[in-house]
Amino acid sequence: MGDVKKFSSELISMSDYGVDGMPKIVVLGCKTRKVFFNENSSSEGIKDAIDLALVECATSGIISDDKKIEDINLTIYPNPVSQDLTSYQFISSHLFKTNNNKDTVSIISDTLRSDYLFFRTDYGLSEKLTMSVALGYFLDKSIVNRNESYSVSGVSDLILFPRYNVFNFKKENHRTELTLGLGLKLPIGSHTDSSLLVTNPIFGDIYAYNPPIAQLTNGSQDAMFYAFIFRTYPKKKFSVFANSLFIKKAFNSLGEKFGDYSSMSVFFSKSLPKNFGLTAQLKYEHVGEIEAAHGVELVNYNVELESTGLSKMLFVPQLSYSKNGFTYFATADLPLF
């Protein structure tokens, strides 16, 4: 072939792509080095594979989510590659829900703040099986108000999350994938931090547990169930995909059981000219109310039952732009319910 860059290295191993063969023809793409084409002595279908790679690499990474665990869910690697990811999230809010009103009020002297680092590594154990390991770290997690203040920092949870690509079905005009995952969340940080409540000359210092929002983790070992289905139309530069996540919570050592979490999202993605991409997401989330073990009084742990649990539906439009290996996003969460 002419007018192409050529290279050779002993680090290249055909065994990474199944059975050895000459010539071995592979199409790799995107930052994840995803395998779009892998054949021995045949180039049939290579054009469609290149077209698909151009579409997916132009739109890869344009999904964002505000849930820590879901950070590891929306990318699939049905081939033996690896990837490392570090992300930083800063949240500061003065808005608080008041009683049963749907509206929130601004309380200038009250602040909820979070500085969060998220580390993740993915490794393809086989062509269909990918293992993800993730760890969260709070640089600061604090609540400040008129009456009391809480602040903690440290490691939160370790997440082990294997995913299996059940099928990858290709036709001339479209491709369909289905991936299933079963994971485990292990608490590493403390869920029993306390703050000084009062100093008594007779009884000494008396401490009270911080509320759950001021703890590094909920302290329970939780099971995660995940499904992802993806369909793309390379010639139209259009993709439709959906994912669902269910987290089954367990009781922690304090006798608290935080509500089970479930979500369902549908995405519509379109590649636009000049490296732009547009994605529309419709998302539903539900979190159950906290439960207490027999004989446990939640008020002792600064928990108000009526302040737990939620159901919401969001519409999330997102515009992306990619250039020189960087992707920039503009997005908004628009509540529908």
Side-chain angles (χ1 to χ4, degrees):
M1 293 188 298
D3 194 27
V4 296
K5 293 183 178 180
K6 302 176 182 178
F7 63 91
S8 178
S9 171
E10 61 182 11
L11 297 177
I12 300 174
S13 174
M14 284 189 290
S15 61
D16 289 339
Y17 307 98
V19 180
D20 294 355
M22 289 295 291
K24 166 68 73 174
I25 305 172
V26 179
V27 176
L28 300 173
C30 310
K31 296 178 182 179
T32 61
R33 301 177 297 281
K34 181 174 181 176
V35 177
F36 292 88
F37 185 86
N38 181 8
E39 297 289 343
N40 294 334
S41 305
S42 174
S43 61
E44 182 179 355
I46 192 172
K47 183 180 181 302
D48 290 339
I50 294 174
D51 290 341
L52 178 60
L54 293 174
V55 172
E56 290 198 20
C57 295
T59 60
S60 62
I62 62 176
I63 306 163
S64 67
D65 205 294
D66 59 357
K67 288 289 181 296
K68 310 297 186 301
I69 292 178
E70 287 190 306
D71 286 341
I72 67 176
N73 286 339
L74 296 180
T75 329
I76 53 177
Y77 308 88
N79 37 74
V81 299
S82 61
Q83 174 176 278
D84 298 313
L85 169 71
T86 301
S87 63
Y88 170 74
Q89 182 184 70
F90 172 77
I91 297 174
S92 181
S93 177
H94 301 283
L95 297 177
F96 295 84
K97 185 176 180 181
T98 60
N99 299 323
N100 293 320
N101 297 329
K102 293 182 179 180
D103 298 329
T104 54
V105 296
S106 177
I107 307 176
I108 297 177
S109 61
D110 291 10
T111 302
L112 172 64
R113 172 192 169 110
S114 171
D115 287 286
Y116 184 77
L117 281 173
F118 183 78
F119 307 94
R120 187 193 84 196
T121 183
D122 299 307
Y123 185 78
L125 301 175
S126 69
E127 184 177 353
K128 291 181 174 292
L129 181 62
T130 299
M131 183 66 187
S132 293
V133 179
L135 184 71
Y137 186 92
F138 282 101
L139 299 171
D140 178 54
K141 191 178 184 184
S142 58
I143 304 173
V144 179
N145 58 42
R146 294 184 181 92
N147 303 317
E148 54 193 357
S149 298
Y150 306 97
S151 180
V152 293
S153 63
V155 178
S156 56
D157 298 305
L158 174 67
I159 300 170
L160 307 176
F161 202 81
R163 288 160 292 161
Y164 187 77
N165 187 232
V166 178
F167 69 80
N168 189 331
F169 184 71
K170 300 178 182 179
K171 280 193 174 183
E172 181 178 355
N173 297 321
H174 62 79
R175 180 170 66 90
T176 305
E177 294 185 11
L178 174 64
T179 297
L180 300 177
L182 177 63
L184 182 65
K185 190 218 72 173
L186 302 172
I188 303 298
S190 172
H191 65 287
T192 59
D193 282 345
S194 59
S195 299
L196 180 65
L197 184 63
V198 65
T199 298
N200 186 285
I202 299 176
F203 300 103
D205 294 338
I206 300 175
Y207 289 82
Y209 284 107
N210 294 348
I213 200 169
Q215 302 286 358
L216 295 172
T217 173
N218 62 16
S220 63
Q221 297 182 7
D222 304 332
M224 299 183 295
F225 306 90
Y226 167 74
F228 177 91
I229 188 166
F230 173 85
R231 185 154 187 165
T232 185
Y233 301 86
K235 294 183 179 180
K236 297 180 180 180
K237 298 183 178 181
F238 179 74
S239 299
V240 180
F241 42 103
N243 81 303
S244 63
L245 175 67
F246 177 71
I247 305 175
K248 180 64 176 176
K249 303 292 183 68
F251 282 95
N252 61 21
S253 63
L254 299 178
E256 304 168 320
K257 180 183 181 296
F258 289 78
D260 295 337
Y261 172 84
S262 57
S263 71
M264 173 72 74
S265 298
V266 180
F267 302 82
F268 303 91
S269 178
K270 174 70 175 178
S271 294
L272 303 176
K274 299 183 179 180
N275 297 327
F276 282 94
L278 183 64
T279 296
Q281 176 189 4
L282 188 63
K283 179 175 184 178
Y284 173 77
E285 284 185 337
H286 175 77
V287 179
E289 290 186 344
I290 193 171
E291 299 178 22
H294 180 70
V296 173
E297 296 292 339
L298 292 175
V299 68
N300 294 332
Y301 304 125
N302 263 314
V303 177
E304 296 179 354
L305 181 62
E306 60 272 16
S307 298
T308 66
L310 66 85
S311 292
K312 65 180 179 179
M313 181 172 288
L314 300 171
F315 174 68
V316 186
Q318 187 168 256
L319 180 68
S320 67
Y321 174 72
S322 299
K323 187 175 183 179
N324 298 328
F326 291 91
T327 303
Y328 308 89
F329 310 100
T331 185
D333 289 352
L334 306 178
L336 303 179
F337 169 78

